[in-house]
Amino acid sequence: MILVTGGLGMIGAHTARALVDLGHEVVVTAHHRTEVPSFLAGRVTVEPLDVTDRDAFLALGGRHDISDMVHLAGSIPGEDPVGFFRTDTAGLLNALEAARTWGVRRFAVAGSIGVYVGRTETRWHEELALPTAELPHLIVAFKKAVEPLTTHGLQGSGVQPVVLRIGTVWGPLVDPESPFFPIPSYISAVLRGEQPRPLHADDGFDCCYAPDAGRAIALLMTAQTLRHDTYNVSSGRLATNREFADALQAITPGLRLDLLPGRQGGPGDDPYLDTTRLTRDTGFTPAFDVATAVADYVAWRAGLVGPAGQEEGLPA
């Protein structure tokens, strides 16, 4: 059985679904988010758990025969950065102790594309040295620390660490007004019948649809062998605002979206995650491009509209 902490969050839920689709039994932990997505209902075992509770975490091993772990649980920083670091570090250390205690085969942990901030290349691959740089967010700072804590914490245990440098993921269960990525709120405005704020047409960004990200993580967890302990998880290509606008217009009769010309920062190239290592070791290729992802997401949102015209089941 594979344990996915934070398994009802966006990435966790899609990882759990992909693992089940591959034929594995899955137990997910739930804390702040407790509603089970329809695509997981009846397919996974749900365990309420605050991952900062060491005894409760370790007790899971007495109820389930856990062979592998994916640690995706995390919190959102408030005004106290020390409190945020304390909470998420406690959760990580408890997960590492559980992995060692239970003798799991493989332990994967959520990292971030943000660890590459400061590199001047536009194709970010795992062999690049991580620079000392001012980081854009407390979450990125923690994710950068996660990498050595995990690899050193599992040394000598026989547990294989897998650091997941996860790119910009969106799709079903994403925060529709996410402050980290303009596209969810852009689509939300269109679905409300509003004209979204104009974006620069050629601004590009790393982008991965959530079902693809979940499948990539599932393949890393179930591959017979892995040659590395760090993997980029994303689509392996750049997406642009123009592609998203074109995709929305293609499925919405009469919709006209005005874009600002060029890139906001002027001529140049935007960075993205190279996924050659992921593809080589697992065979992963994304199933969704921008057009099919947008169509799928809009259809999913349409399925959440209740009889009163209110959207149901979207994350707060």
Side-chain angles (χ1 to χ4, degrees):
M1 177 173 277
I2 299 176
L3 171 67
V4 182
T5 70
L8 297 185
M10 176 182 62
I11 297 175
H14 288 283
T15 298
R17 175 168 66 173
L19 287 166
V20 171
D21 288 345
L22 289 171
H24 296 272
E25 290 185 285
V26 176
V27 56
V28 303
T29 70
H31 186 41
H32 296 296
R33 181 179 289 175
T34 58
E35 182 179 355
V36 179
S38 59
F39 57 78
L40 283 185
R43 305 184 73 199
V44 298
T45 300
V46 180
E47 285 276 6
L49 177 70
D50 178 350
V51 295
T52 67
D53 186 333
R54 174 182 176 272
D55 292 339
F57 204 137
L58 292 174
L60 287 177
R63 297 194 294 275
H64 305 285
D65 183 14
I66 297 170
S67 61
D68 301 89
M69 294 174 59
V70 187
H71 182 55
L72 301 175
S75 62
I76 301 297
E79 295 183 358
D80 177 14
V82 174
F84 164 69
F85 289 137
R86 179 180 293 114
T87 296
D88 279 33
T89 301
L92 173 63
L93 296 180
N94 289 340
L96 290 170
E97 182 178 0
R100 293 178 66 102
T101 300
W102 303 335
V104 302
R105 181 186 65 123
R106 193 169 287 166
F107 177 94
V109 64
S112 170
I113 184 177
V115 302
Y116 292 108
V117 167
R119 297 296 317 193
T120 58
E121 298 84 355
T122 56
R123 183 177 66 86
W124 288 342
H125 58 82
E126 297 91 341
E127 295 180 5
L128 292 172
L130 300 185
T132 300
E134 183 176 348
L135 300 174
H137 198 277
L138 289 177
I139 292 176
V140 175
F142 177 72
K143 296 299 187 185
K144 198 166 184 177
V146 159
E147 298 196 5
L149 287 173
T150 298
T151 54
H152 287 277
L154 294 177
Q155 277 186 354
S157 67
V159 179
Q160 181 177 23
V162 183
V163 173
L164 308 167
R165 290 180 179 167
I166 300 173
T168 305
V169 178
W170 76 286
L173 303 181
V174 72
D175 178 353
E177 303 298 332
S178 173
F180 301 112
F181 178 43
I183 293 303
S185 60
Y186 190 84
I187 295 177
S188 291
V190 170
L191 296 181
R192 290 193 300 267
E194 301 171 2
Q195 185 68 217
R197 64 179 181 86
L199 301 173
H200 284 78
D202 297 330
D203 274 351
F205 37 83
D206 179 89
C207 185
C208 187
Y209 197 51
D212 277 336
R215 186 165 55 86
I217 295 170
L219 290 172
L220 285 167
M221 292 307 297
T222 57
Q224 185 172 357
T225 58
L226 293 177
R227 290 179 285 181
H228 306 278
D229 62 15
T230 302
Y231 289 85
N232 289 340
V233 174
S234 197
S235 66
R237 66 179 295 272
L238 203 67
T240 66
N241 291 329
R242 186 188 304 277
E243 290 180 87
F244 278 95
D246 288 347
L248 281 166
Q249 291 174 142
I251 61 173
T252 311
L255 177 65
R256 176 184 173 85
L257 294 172
D258 295 323
L259 295 170
L260 301 173
R263 293 176 69 249
Q264 186 173 13
D269 297 313
D270 294 295
Y272 67 98
L273 290 179
D274 178 272
T275 56
T276 300
R277 179 182 288 186
L278 168 68
T279 298
R280 185 176 61 233
D281 282 11
T282 70
F284 169 79
T285 56
F288 293 87
D289 58 16
V290 170
T292 54
V294 168
D296 184 80
Y297 180 69
V298 169
W300 179 79
R301 288 282 295 267
L304 296 178
V305 176
Q310 298 295 317
E311 287 184 306
E312 303 171 340
L314 288 174

